Amino acid sequence: IAVVDSERGSASLYADKFSFDSMELDDVEPETYMEAIKVAAKAGYDVLIIDSLSHAWETLRDRVDGIARARYKNNTWRAWAELTPIQNRLVTAILQYPGHILCTLRTKTAWETEKDDRTGKLKPVKVGLAPIQREGVDYEFTIIFEMSEGGLARVGKTRWSEIANQVIEQPDEEFAGRLLRWLETGEPGSSPPSKMQVDQNGLAMTNSILSGVNEVDGQVVINFPCMPDQIELTRHIPQHFADFQ
């Protein structure tokens, strides 16, 4: 498992519970995300987590505003004509990844305007939460979960009919095993392999792709021959995983 971390190293806070390698991004330009995705694909990671995809969109919007001011007298339509292909390439890189991808998105309050029956004027009305990314990007994913406090996952959109319209309380390893079975075979979910099997198999897989390992300040830094100098992976190994080595 690899994590593309745009949240200032927050993924490392989970290193006591899970084993994974992380790439903390120095910047959140869409091109940097694409390079990180390419690195993970070449390294052979079965699962890639992007946390968070929202930063790439916010950065692209800032670039659009800058180009519109500098070149097009604040005409953002013309600026988007230049930068929309970058957003499309990022989405394509995600869809073409040779493994499973999980993306997190920040949310914001969504508003609509409607006519006030009493005054006849338009007024803003809160309609819920909306992801911070390009409108419609959720259609690209197989499953969309809307997470709330307490670990509740409301299924917003899914191609897995078994969980349509459900609210799943604290999705766990058993749920992930069912999902993985459906993704790989199209059959109803079953119990996942044991924790020992998962960790041993993961260790065998990740060891096979390493070209160099160095310990720096208590963390394991991994160097890949295919990796640009500006991207660094850090291996996070919880105690129960380290005991198997």
Side-chain angles (χ1 to χ4, degrees), residues 211-225:
S211 64
V213 179
N214 299 291
E215 185 170 346
V216 180
D217 296 330
Q219 293 184 318
V220 182
V221 178
I222 305 166
N223 301 312
F224 290 85

Side-chain angles (χ1 to χ4, degrees), residues 3-222:
V3 178
V4 175
D5 186 350
S6 68
E7 297 282 1
R8 300 182 181 275
S10 64
S12 63
L13 299 176
Y14 299 93
D16 61 328
K17 298 181 180 296
F18 307 101
S19 56
F20 59 93
D21 299 337
S22 65
M23 293 180 276
E24 186 174 347
L25 302 183
D26 292 331
D27 65 73
V28 289
E29 299 289 345
E31 294 87 348
T32 305
Y33 279 79
M34 286 185 271
E35 188 61 44
I37 292 170
K38 183 189 299 184
V39 166
K42 287 185 177 181
Y45 286 99
D46 291 331
V47 178
L48 178 63
I49 301 171
I50 300 177
D51 181 29
S52 157
L53 190 60
S54 291
H55 290 119
W57 176 246
E58 292 176 324
T59 300
L60 197 62
R61 288 186 62 180
D62 289 342
R63 286 167 62 176
V64 165
D65 291 341
I67 290 174
R69 286 193 301 269
R71 302 180 192 172
Y72 302 123
K73 299 180 180 180
N74 292 320
N75 185 334
T76 57
W77 288 97
R78 295 185 66 184
W80 273 117
E82 291 188 25
L83 297 185
T84 292
I86 297 176
Q87 169 73 8
N88 293 342
R89 289 201 299 272
L90 175 57
V91 172
T92 297
I94 292 171
L95 295 177
Q96 292 183 344
Y97 186 78
H100 303 296
I101 281 197
L102 290 79
C103 295
T104 69
L105 294 170
R106 294 186 174 191
T107 59
K108 61 182 179 181
T109 301
W111 298 84
E112 291 183 354
T113 56
E114 65 177 32
K115 188 176 181 179
D116 189 311
D117 294 335
R118 185 174 60 84
T119 65
K121 297 181 179 180
L122 294 177
K123 65 177 182 179
V125 178
K126 182 179 178 180
V127 294
L129 297 176
I132 300 176
Q133 244 292 334
R134 185 171 187 171
E135 184 177 356
V137 73
D138 48 325
Y139 290 104
E140 306 291 351
F141 293 95
T142 300
I143 300 175
I144 295 289
F145 292 112
E146 298 176 10
M147 301 298 300
S148 62
E149 294 184 11
L152 296 179
R154 188 178 76 83
V155 181
K157 171 250 180 177
T158 180
R159 297 187 176 104
W160 184 18
S161 59
E162 184 177 328
I163 63 169
N165 302 315
Q166 290 188 12
V167 176
I168 301 167
E169 184 175 358
Q170 298 182 342
D172 55 12
E173 186 176 353
E174 187 276 333
F175 175 79
R178 291 169 52 210
L179 172 59
L180 182 62
R181 180 174 176 83
W182 173 75
L183 287 170
E184 294 183 342
T185 68
E187 299 175 359
S190 62
S191 299
S194 69
K195 184 66 179 177
M196 175 72 79
Q197 290 173 317
V198 170
D199 286 340
Q200 288 178 328
N201 292 341
L203 179 62
M205 185 278 290
T206 52
N207 278 349
S208 69
I209 60 176
L210 299 184
S211 64
V213 179
N214 299 291
E215 185 170 346
V216 180
D217 296 330
Q219 293 184 318
V220 182
V221 178
I222 305 166

